Amino acid sequence: MEDCTMKKEGMKIQIEEWKAWKKDTLRLRKVSMVHAFTGTYGVNYGRIADNLPSPERVVTLLRMNKIKNVRIYDADHGVLSAFNNSGVGIIIGIPNEFLMEMSISQDRALDWVRQNVVPFFPGTLITGIAVGNEILGQPDQELAEVLYPAVRNVYTALSWLGLSRRIEVSSPHSEAVFAITYPPSAGAFKENVLPFMMPLLRFFSEIGTPFYINAYPFLAYKSDPEHIDISYALFAPNSGIYDSRTRLHYDNMFDAQIDAAYAALDKVGFNRMEVIVSETGWASRGDENEAGANLTNARTYNRNLRKRLLKRKGTPYRPRMVAKGYVFALFNENMKPGPTSERNFGLFRPDGHIAYDIGFTGLVPSSASTRLGSFKFIGLLGAMLILIL
């Protein structure tokens, strides 16, 4: 009799859970289709720091500067709550350390989506889930093996909740996936990457996900400053390069890196897949051996990058495919490990000031603006005294 009662209670719990799941699913299916990227410009909101503004102030900062696309590297509930009704599209991330469990358990993937997406969507405009970051091309073979199963399970979880047509599933790559990128038409994947890349590309092609690449002219220049023209890396006037195979001219490395990715995709049969830059940026400070890492170059690169993306034009190889990119990063992150440059990619300082002027407004006036305002006030006061005298 006791066993029978326990079974009935268990069935009641399962029925209630099913009803709750059904309610969530019906609510989410009423949401209209969204795109993972609005316009062409976005930023990465990294938070490896102990001195950043609150997420609520970050939303204010983004809206002040009309930034409509953001990527974060986790699914922090405080951030997701702050972005509610902000109108800012946000791609959330599943950190690399969770990929193993996501790959072997569909239930775990479903639980993750129900805990980190369902409670916030659609109020918070979650437009995508990035499964891992820069997995392929790295020494960790185990992570490479579980990436595709993890991606597939996360997508299946979204499908079960009626969200797979509203929230994109992706996985950003570093330049380490390529065997060659120069000239752009020679772009090709490494042979040891292809066994893991091909299943991903086939799956992403089926579900309409772009190829996301972290492309840094800064890193290319830093690794070979003697042979790379810094003006070419910074979008500054230069003679550029000529790709004799395609007979195309490139006047900046950013476009060349994107087209190298397109060329690599072409070579393995995915010539219709869009390429989006998931990270790019320039460090405003660096160690002595980090060539080009200074404030002037960071300002030049990011100002010119913003101008280039706002033109809404394609690349020489894909002129009809509008280039899109996320800048790294919104803030300097004082707790990031590694060389000094890693802690100095921010467009803004943690106190809300702009790190340098590329046309954005800080949460507080810049020191230059403050000084200018003081001079204006002093000048006005002097004029009033003259009138009185």
Side-chain angles (χ1 to χ4, degrees):
M1 190 72 176
E2 187 176 341
D3 288 345
C4 184
T5 302
M6 289 177 67
K7 285 181 180 178
K8 286 181 179 179
E9 289 299 319
M11 288 181 65
K12 284 181 180 179
I13 292 171
Q14 289 179 2
I15 290 170
E16 290 303 314
E17 287 180 345
W18 180 85
K19 286 180 178 178
W21 173 83
K22 191 69 175 175
K23 184 179 180 181
D24 285 339
T25 303
L26 290 173
R27 174 177 64 84
L28 294 168
R29 281 179 175 166
K30 291 178 182 178
V31 181
S32 59
M33 288 284 289
V34 298
H35 299 285
F37 209 115
T38 300
T40 57
Y41 189 89
V43 295
N44 287 275
Y45 172 22
R47 304 188 323 282
I48 305 177
D50 61 3
N51 57 355
L52 298 183
S54 68
E56 290 77 13
R57 295 194 75 207
V58 170
V59 170
T60 300
L61 180 67
L62 295 170
R63 295 182 73 174
M64 283 171 57
N65 290 289
K66 297 181 171 56
I67 297 173
K68 298 182 180 297
N69 306 283
V70 170
R71 293 178 70 245
I72 60 174
Y73 295 88
D74 55 16
D76 183 85
H77 288 193
V79 173
L80 294 179
S81 295
F83 275 72
N84 184 49
N85 293 323
S86 68
V88 178
I90 183 168
I91 292 181
I92 61 177
I94 299 178
N96 294 355
E97 57 266 29
F98 295 139
L99 297 196
M100 180 65 73
E101 57 185 289
M102 294 288 178
S103 71
I104 61 178
S105 173
Q106 181 63 72
D107 287 342
R108 179 67 186 95
L110 181 61
D111 286 344
W112 191 94
V113 173
R114 294 196 65 190
Q115 291 169 17
N116 297 292
V117 176
V118 172
F120 305 99
F121 186 84
T124 297
L125 190 57
I126 300 171
T127 58
I129 300 174
V131 182
N133 187 49
E134 297 189 341
I135 299 296
L136 302 187
Q138 306 301 329
D140 195 332
Q141 193 85 350
E142 192 175 67
L143 274 182
E145 291 172 353
V146 303
L147 178 57
Y148 169 60
V151 165
R152 186 187 59 214
N153 283 347
V154 171
Y155 179 80
T156 300
L158 289 172
S159 295
W160 287 356
L161 293 169
L163 285 170
S164 59
R165 288 172 57 82
R166 298 167 178 85
I167 297 177
E168 179 186 270
V169 179
S170 63
S171 187
H173 305 289
S174 74
E175 293 281 329
V177 300
F178 301 120
I180 185 171
T181 57
Y182 181 85
S185 62
F189 293 111
K190 291 177 179 175
E191 287 296 324
N192 64 350
V193 165
L194 283 175
F196 310 107
M197 181 67 78
M198 289 301 290
L200 265 184
L201 293 179
R202 282 193 287 267
F203 187 67
F204 286 153
S205 179
E206 290 172 5
I207 65 175
T209 293
F211 182 84
Y212 283 88
I213 183 70
N214 296 343
Y216 285 90
F218 165 69
L219 296 180
Y221 176 77
K222 186 178 79 165
S223 68
D224 192 12
E226 293 183 4
H227 297 99
I228 295 175
D229 181 356
I230 193 165
S231 295
Y232 177 65
L234 293 173
F235 301 91
N238 68 97
S239 58
I241 67 163
Y242 178 72
D243 191 326
S244 59
R245 182 180 177 186
T246 56
R247 298 182 180 179
L248 295 172
H249 179 266
Y250 290 84
D251 60 12
N252 70 83
M253 188 184 291
F254 179 77
D255 282 6
Q257 289 182 325
I258 294 174
D259 278 356
Y262 276 123
L265 290 168
D266 282 358
K267 289 179 176 63
V268 291
F270 296 94
N271 58 352
R272 294 187 178 182
M273 184 171 285
E274 181 183 12
V275 173
I276 292 179
V277 175
S278 37
E279 287 183 20
T280 189
W282 200 286
S284 59
R285 284 184 62 202
D287 296 321
E288 287 185 9
N289 63 345
E290 295 190 281
N294 60 59
L295 190 145
T296 299
N297 289 340
R299 180 176 57 235
T300 300
Y301 180 80
N302 282 305
R303 182 179 61 234
N304 290 337
L305 171 70
R306 186 176 177 224
K307 288 179 180 178
R308 187 261 176 270
L309 291 175
L310 293 178
K311 289 179 180 177
R312 298 173 182 259
K313 69 173 187 177
T315 59
Y317 191 56
R318 286 284 191 275
R320 295 183 180 179
M321 193 73 77
V322 175
K324 302 171 185 175
Y326 290 86
V327 176
F328 187 89
L330 192 57
F331 297 106
N332 289 333
E333 298 173 75
N334 68 341
M335 297 180 70
K336 286 198 77 172
T340 298
S341 61
E342 286 292 327
R343 294 176 288 282
N344 290 280
F345 275 91
L347 299 176
F348 297 89
R349 301 205 305 257
D351 62 5
H353 284 88
I354 55 173
Y356 41 80
D357 186 11
I358 64 167
F360 286 139
T361 302
L363 287 171
V364 290
S366 69
S367 55
S369 297
T370 303
R371 287 194 301 269
L372 181 61
S374 300
F375 293 149
K376 285 181 176 177
F377 176 75
I378 291 169
L380 180 60
L381 184 61
M384 290 174 66
L385 287 172
I386 291 171
L387 287 173
I388 292 171
L389 294 172

